Amino acid sequence: MSAPRRWIGLPVAAVVLVCGVVGVQLANGGGDYEPLRPADPCVERTVNPQATGIDGVTERLVLLGIDGAACRLHVSREALTLELAQTDEPTDAQIDALRAGLKSAVTRMKADGTLPRASQLVDESLESADLNELLKNVIRALPASVIDAAVKTDDVLIRAIDDLDLRAVLTNLDDQDALEQQVAKAVTSAVTASLEARIRGLV
């Protein structure tokens, strides 16, 4: 077959292939296509964070927190993230809903046993702590029971959430994906600082 004929045959073959795919789709009910509905943010979902340690806690906290905020505002999670990404100034209602959603996420994580004990986060917190090595070693030598009795992870998280300037965090987001990243970054920083402050008080 000459080159021109091969080029002419390509569109024809493509049309035949597309028609075949469409035929299979219709035969399997593809003609009844309905767009997927956004998930109900008020229905609890399973969230499996990709990260571990403080980052993993924060990742799950943020995802559940945004669900809780959307539920309180009676919108879908997708609609809320889109609204926040498109506005230059989040409303008081959005700020309050997100803070309440994050706090509810802490309560849920504590109830379902996914909230790690403070002693499990100490080493990671000490890595960025502005403490001399001697003091760090003293803290590491403390029994886990002593740390967990003095430092409650849920209390640390709640205090960190209360101290967050969510308006500053949410202002001028570039896109929807930036919402989770911005909130997660702020929460991680606040949690680390709060945990570090509590640990200092142990020695």
Side-chain angles (χ1 to χ4, degrees), residues 118-119 121-126 129 131 135-136 139-140 142 147 150-151 156 192-203:
S119 59
L121 304 175
V122 166
D123 284 343
E124 184 178 351
S125 178
L126 287 176
L131 300 172
L135 192 54
K136 288 183 179 182
I139 293 174
R140 290 191 180 100
L142 291 172
I147 295 175
V151 182
V156 169
T192 302
S194 181
L195 191 57
E196 178 186 332
R198 292 299 188 86
I199 292 172
R200 284 174 180 269
L202 294 177
V203 293

Side-chain angles (χ1 to χ4, degrees), residues 43-186:
V43 176
E44 290 190 359
R45 61 169 173 153
T46 300
V47 175
N48 297 312
Q50 301 299 312
T52 59
I54 294 176
D55 286 343
V57 172
T58 300
E59 183 182 341
R60 189 163 190 267
L61 175 68
V62 170
L63 291 174
L64 294 177
I66 293 175
D67 279 353
C71 179
R72 283 171 170 77
L73 295 171
H74 307 292
V75 297
S76 69
R77 182 173 181 273
E78 293 76 11
L80 175 59
T81 55
L82 183 60
E83 288 174 10
L84 291 173
Q86 291 181 336
T87 183
D88 292 330
E89 182 70 21
T91 66
D92 290 342
Q94 290 172 332
I95 296 294
D96 292 342
L98 183 55
R99 197 179 304 278
L102 290 170
K103 288 184 176 181
S104 293
V106 174
T107 301
R108 175 182 166 183
M109 291 167 68
K110 181 180 180 181
D112 65 18
T114 58
L115 202 60
R117 297 186 300 276
S119 59
Q120 296 174 293
L121 304 175
V122 166
D123 284 343
E124 184 178 351
S125 178
L126 287 176
E127 289 177 4
S128 59
D130 184 21
L131 300 172
N132 62 59
E133 286 303 315
L134 177 60
L135 192 54
K136 288 183 179 182
N137 289 333
V138 170
I139 293 174
R140 290 191 180 100
L142 291 172
S145 58
V146 172
I147 295 175
D148 294 332
V151 182
K152 304 298 183 183
T153 307
D154 58 321
D155 187 39
V156 169
L157 287 171
I158 292 297
R159 287 175 179 270
I161 293 168
D162 281 335
D163 291 341
L164 273 180
D165 185 353
L166 287 176
R167 188 173 300 280
V169 171
L170 297 178
T171 298
N172 298 322
L173 292 174
D174 294 329
D175 52 45
Q176 294 184 59
D177 292 336
L179 171 62
E180 292 176 12
Q181 296 172 6
Q182 288 276 61
V183 176
K185 181 179 179 181

